[in-house]
Amino acid sequence: MKHKSLLTATILATTLAMAGCSTTGGGTSPNDSKAPQTGPIKIGMVVPLTGPYAPLGTGDKAAAEQEVAAINADGGIDGRQITLIVKDDKTDVTQSVTEFNQLAADKSVSAMLSSSFASASAATAASALTNKIPTLALSPISVLADGSNKYAFTVPATPEVYAQAMVDYFVAQGVKSIAIGYAGGDVYGQTGNDATKAAADKAGLKIALDEAYDQKATDFTALITHVKGTDAEGLLVWGAGPAPVIITKQLAGTGIQPYMTGAEASSLYVQPAGAAAEGVIMSSSIAVAGDELPDGPLKTKIDSFVTPWKSANKGVNPPQFAFDGLTGIDLIKAAIDKAGSSDRDAIRDALESLDVLMAAGHYKYSPTDHAGLTTDAVAIVQVKDGKFVATDYSLERFKTHLPK
């Protein structure tokens, strides 16, 4: 598959780049020392704070900082405070690898949160393995899901899970044919396209068109024209950044129903898309639909984060990415609590056996499952009056398929 070739190339580049970064001062192997068991617990975080994917990284960062502050105010982890070290990868794969390598080589850093830019996060996976540092990807990386990289886990549901959830929705709504537009040259876009086609094939859903687009483009007339030439009942967009906003605007008035993914589950998509975003349907983390969940442990976890977030953000609900950043911190905390240690291998081992409810869903990691989530962690939401509202389909599913 195309995305596997791309991922192989990025991981190879990462491995070569690490050649000069795999030892600490004095010639000590990075695997010869362990994180200290006293003083602050250091967590590294590399996310896009500038560049086209900045909306993803800024949400991750703000949420992680809020959660770290809350944990520290409550006494920290076993009396130790968390220090979060955040680096900007500028939505650039090479920059992400460089920043990740520098943090991973510091043995006082116990765990890492890798980029919400999927291509960048995938490229740092080799460094997580070489440096033996437990790493939680803040983007959905399919190739990490099977546990073959012992040190890399994912926080958001994988593209396969999101694709299955969306195909299930299409089938339930009687949709017979769909078109896909995906960000070419991007791990997220390509894996999403492949996963949707695979799920659609099993469900008997016709893929009338699957076409890559240039994520740096500003005009998608050609893509939309191609969709018009098919019998597709809508266009599912797999991508992030400005492109989906532009596509949404250009779809207005065409009669083509836009479908998006969790990468657009943010006011930073809705606001620039304006009136064109009304009625857009997308898959998202179940936490995005938190206001409409029935009372219970999941809603309580979501609300405990959303309330202070809204207070700090003029009443605006958290985006998808905020729940990813929150959950990344909480998963690391849960692993340290379980292990009784901030040692890297102890955290890794504990992560791999976690079976725990988080705001983003119920995670059940194992040696062969480093993704941990099922379609129960996904909601199908629609934009109404500028807000994300659960579809009737998801409201019904909440009655029987709620993470517990």
Side-chain angles (χ1 to χ4, degrees):
M1 294 182 186
K2 291 180 181 178
H3 75 271
K4 287 188 177 179
S5 297
L6 173 67
L7 186 57
T8 299
T10 54
I11 289 177
L12 176 60
T14 305
T15 304
L16 293 173
M18 284 165 48
C21 303
S22 61
T23 59
T24 56
T28 302
S29 165
N31 301 325
D32 287 343
S33 57
K34 296 181 179 182
Q37 296 299 302
T38 59
I41 296 172
K42 295 182 181 179
I43 299 173
M45 182 180 198
V46 182
V47 287
L49 302 178
T50 54
Y53 284 11
L56 282 68
T58 53
D60 285 318
K61 175 178 179 288
E65 289 176 338
Q66 177 181 306
E67 187 65 359
V68 165
I71 292 169
N72 286 343
D74 196 38
I77 302 175
D78 195 24
R80 298 170 64 189
Q81 298 284 284
I82 299 173
T83 297
L84 183 65
I85 307 168
V86 184
K87 300 291 183 180
D88 178 14
D89 70 16
K90 303 177 182 178
T91 318
D92 180 81
V93 171
T94 302
Q95 184 70 24
S96 199
V97 169
T98 298
E99 298 291 356
F100 188 99
N101 286 346
Q102 290 177 352
L103 286 171
D106 180 352
K107 302 310 291 186
S108 69
V109 176
S110 293
M112 291 287 295
L113 297 172
S114 65
S115 187
S116 39
F117 174 27
S119 294
S121 198
T124 61
S127 180
L129 183 60
T130 300
N131 285 281
K132 295 186 177 181
I133 186 165
T135 299
L136 289 161
L138 295 174
S139 48
I141 311 296
S142 299
V143 296
L144 301 181
D146 64 3
S148 55
N149 184 323
K150 291 179 60 178
Y151 287 85
F153 300 76
T154 64
V155 175
T158 62
E160 286 77 11
V161 171
Y162 275 113
Q164 186 63 61
M166 188 57 97
V167 167
D168 289 345
Y169 171 77
F170 289 144
V171 171
Q173 300 305 302
V175 174
K176 303 297 184 184
S177 178
I178 200 76
I180 306 171
Y182 65 96
D186 175 67
V187 169
Y188 179 67
Q190 291 181 349
T191 53
N193 177 61
D194 292 344
T196 304
K197 290 195 297 181
D201 182 61
K202 290 181 180 179
L205 174 68
K206 179 182 177 182
I207 300 299
L209 174 78
D210 67 303
E211 183 172 313
Y213 64 77
D214 180 356
Q215 57 189 332
K216 296 181 181 179
T218 57
D219 183 5
F220 299 92
T221 302
L223 170 63
I224 294 170
T225 299
H226 295 161
V227 177
K228 287 181 178 178
T230 73
D231 63 354
E233 299 170 59
L235 173 64
L236 173 60
V237 178
W238 278 95
V245 173
I246 300 170
I247 292 171
T248 300
K249 288 183 174 182
Q250 292 187 326
L251 283 172
T254 64
I256 300 171
Q257 171 65 47
Y259 296 99
M260 299 286 163
T261 69
E264 283 69 60
S266 166
S267 61
L268 296 177
Y269 161 76
V270 173
Q271 290 175 356
E278 286 295 303
V280 171
I281 296 169
M282 65 184 70
S283 57
S284 75
S285 166
I286 195 169
V288 172
D291 288 346
E292 297 169 281
L293 291 175
D295 290 339
L298 179 62
K299 184 172 177 60
T300 298
K301 283 183 174 293
I302 294 170
D303 288 348
S304 68
F305 171 74
V306 170
T307 299
W309 175 279
K310 290 175 71 173
S311 295
N313 292 275
K314 300 179 180 179
V316 176
N317 274 319
Q320 163 96 30
F321 328 117
F323 290 111
D324 296 338
L326 159 73
T327 303
I329 293 296
D330 283 348
L331 286 167
I332 292 172
K333 179 183 183 298
I336 295 173
D337 283 338
K338 182 173 185 177
S341 170
S342 61
D343 174 69
R344 292 181 177 188
D345 280 318
I347 295 172
R348 191 219 73 84
D349 291 348
L351 277 171
E352 199 168 70
S353 61
L354 281 184
D355 186 351
V356 62
L357 180 67
M358 295 287 172
H362 192 125
Y363 287 80
K364 191 173 183 180
Y365 290 133
S366 74
T368 57
D369 185 358
H370 281 201
L373 294 176
T374 68
T375 54
D376 287 357
V378 178
I380 307 299
V381 299
Q382 186 169 23
V383 180
K384 290 186 178 180
D385 298 324
K387 297 180 180 180
F388 298 105
V389 177
T391 58
D392 290 342
Y393 168 83
S394 279
L395 289 174
E396 281 300 310
R397 276 187 60 86
F398 293 163
K399 296 176 181 178
T400 55
H401 291 79
L402 204 64
K404 296 179 180 179

